Amino acid sequence: MEVNPPKQEHLLALKVMRLTKPTLFTNIPVTCEEKDLPGDLFNQLMRDDPSTVNGAEILMLGEMLTLPQNFGNIFLGETFSSYISVHNDSNQVVKDILVKADLQTSSQRLNLSASSSAVAELKPDCCIDDVIHHEVKEIGTHILVCAVSYTTQGGEKMYFRKFFKFQVLKPLDVKTKFYNAETDEVFLEAQIQNITTSPMFMEKVSLEPSIMYNVAELNSVNLAGECEVSMEQFILMLQMIKEMMMEKLGVTTFGSRAYLQPMDTRQYLYCLKPKKEFAEKAGIIKGVTVIGKLDIVWKTNLGERGRLQTSQLQRMAPGYGDVRLSLEAIPDTVNLEEPFHITCKITNCR
């Protein structure tokens, strides 16, 4: 009868912990009126509770922070940080310790180790610490693979690995619509929805145009409180708002605070104009053209930063046939039975 030798225990212990910001501690206030049976007992207990705010004991939020109790959620665009510690639990000196951390995604395997060189020796009750960072750029399943190799005092080479699986979720739902003006202008409406469970501070939402276009943001007001848009742009905005109301989409106002509550949607508007060298060549902007990409930066509860960039946005340019006739200039008012001048432009679109 063949007997397998017992599995040898490792001299080193590996511990991995995700580094996240703490959260505000919340309590459940329990109170009653003084004429009730408990009297002032509940109120006194809340006043004595160190987690409550003095003078505002009935509020759920306190002044204390709590450390994360679980792995938590990781969203696309955030930075994943983890603390890796290898501790020598034995009474022997271990040599040639090499710690390697890889992140396996659905499409690639990334090396996150800060150093690729081995540590010469590790004495008993000593440890090797490392902190890794990675900006998450893919959704779906991620596996953190931590491998440790070392040599015992007897010259035996040892090796072990640990796997930590986590899911990367989608934080925002981004929808885009294009509106073509009678001129060569293109209006882009971007609808951004917060699909997480916590509020977001929208630090920046900008459009990086392609080399063919110049962009103007239409999401701000001037000092007089009037929107800085032309009459044609204003008419198009009214049309867009009408369509959004028909689709039962919530039209939000930005206000002075750029917070986006969970499941709330905000609309951003941009006007793109072809650069002069491309506008004069009508054949270049025919068919499918690349407009640019959205760059979105946000912060969550305690300042955790996230960033997303969309892929290149494309739109189908309207077809004008072989020849295009456009109106360049026309007077605002004219007198009856008197001639007036208008300027037209004929463009060869072939």
Side-chain angles (χ1 to χ4, degrees):
M1 180 178 178
E2 183 179 357
V3 179
N4 294 324
K7 186 176 180 180
Q8 183 177 358
E9 293 186 0
H10 285 282
L11 306 179
L12 303 182
L14 172 66
K15 295 182 180 180
V16 178
M17 181 179 67
R18 182 192 174 194
L19 298 179
T20 58
K21 297 286 183 69
T23 56
L24 291 172
F25 179 79
T26 58
N27 54 19
I28 302 177
V30 179
T31 183
C32 65
E33 297 182 1
E34 293 183 359
K35 62 182 180 180
D36 291 336
L37 183 61
D40 194 47
L41 177 62
F42 291 157
N43 294 332
Q44 185 61 42
L45 290 175
M46 292 175 59
R47 285 192 290 267
D48 296 339
D49 190 344
S51 65
T52 59
V53 180
N54 187 21
E57 293 83 6
I58 61 174
L59 296 178
M60 293 184 64
L61 286 180
E63 297 178 331
M64 301 182 67
L65 299 175
T66 178
L67 295 175
Q69 303 300 312
N70 50 40
F71 193 81
N73 294 325
I74 300 179
F75 293 99
L76 184 68
E78 294 182 343
T79 299
F80 169 70
S81 301
S82 183
Y83 168 72
I84 300 175
S85 178
V86 176
H87 186 268
N88 188 353
D89 291 343
S90 68
N91 56 4
Q92 304 179 24
V93 177
V94 179
K95 298 181 179 181
D96 301 330
I97 306 98
L98 180 63
V99 182
K100 186 178 180 183
D102 292 341
L103 186 64
Q104 178 70 54
T105 69
S106 58
S107 62
Q108 57 183 335
R109 188 183 182 100
L110 303 169
N111 181 20
L112 304 183
S113 301
S115 175
S116 58
S117 59
V119 178
E121 66 176 24
L122 186 64
K123 296 180 180 180
D125 289 331
C126 293
C127 61
I128 301 172
D129 300 323
D130 191 13
V131 176
I132 57 175
H133 303 279
H134 174 66
E135 184 179 349
V136 182
K137 298 181 180 180
E138 297 182 39
I139 60 174
T141 303
H142 288 56
I143 302 175
L144 179 63
V145 183
C146 297
V148 180
S149 61
Y150 62 96
T151 305
T152 64
Q153 280 187 340
E156 183 181 2
K157 294 186 179 297
M158 305 293 290
Y159 175 83
F160 67 94
R161 292 188 302 174
K162 283 190 177 182
F163 301 87
F164 304 89
K165 182 186 292 187
F166 59 91
Q167 294 288 331
V168 175
L169 307 176
K170 184 179 177 182
L172 299 171
D173 186 25
V174 182
K175 298 178 180 178
T176 57
K177 289 185 178 181
F178 290 104
Y179 301 86
N180 298 309
E182 289 297 326
T183 60
D184 289 330
E185 292 180 335
V186 180
F187 292 88
L188 169 64
E189 176 203 348
Q191 300 175 3
I192 300 177
Q193 183 181 24
N194 176 10
I195 57 176
T196 69
T197 57
S198 60
M200 286 184 178
F201 173 77
M202 305 304 293
E203 184 174 295
K204 184 182 75 169
V205 179
S206 61
L207 177 64
E208 298 180 0
S210 64
I211 60 173
M212 296 175 57
Y213 291 92
N214 292 318
V215 64
E217 293 191 9
L218 305 179
N219 306 307
S220 60
V221 294
N222 58 21
L223 296 178
E226 298 177 354
C227 189
E228 299 176 343
V229 295
S230 64
M231 180 58 67
E232 182 180 12
Q233 294 171 349
F234 178 71
I235 295 174
L236 272 172
M237 290 175 64
L238 289 179
Q239 177 187 353
M240 293 163 58
I241 294 175
K242 180 180 177 181
E243 290 186 9
M244 289 186 291
M245 294 177 65
M246 291 177 63
E247 296 174 2
K248 298 182 180 180
L249 292 174
V251 181
T252 62
T253 28
F254 292 10
S256 59
R257 302 181 185 275
Y259 289 101
L260 194 59
Q261 297 294 334
M263 303 312 294
D264 277 359
T265 301
R266 179 172 293 173
Q267 288 79 27
Y268 294 85
L269 183 62
Y270 305 90
C271 177
L272 297 109
K273 296 182 180 180
K275 295 181 180 179
K276 186 176 180 181
E277 58 268 27
F278 296 104
E280 294 175 351
K281 302 176 183 179
I284 296 180
I285 57 175
K286 290 174 63 177
V288 178
T289 56
V290 175
I291 295 295
K293 57 184 178 181
L294 288 169
D295 186 16
I296 307 170
V297 180
W298 71 90
K299 291 182 179 178
T300 53
N301 291 332
L302 291 177
E304 299 98 329
R305 190 184 181 94
R307 181 183 181 184
L308 280 182
Q309 280 191 333
T310 64
S311 56
Q312 291 289 349
L313 304 175
Q314 296 181 335
R315 67 113 185 187
M316 177 63 72
Y320 297 104
D322 295 337
V323 178
R324 177 186 176 187
L325 175 63
S326 58
L327 190 62
E328 295 293 305
I330 185 172
D332 294 332
T333 58
V334 295
N335 297 323
L336 290 174
E337 300 180 357
E338 290 185 7
F340 60 92
H341 296 278
I342 63 174
T343 303
C344 297
K345 180 180 178 181
I346 299 176
T347 306
N348 183 359
C349 297
R350 300 189 63 180

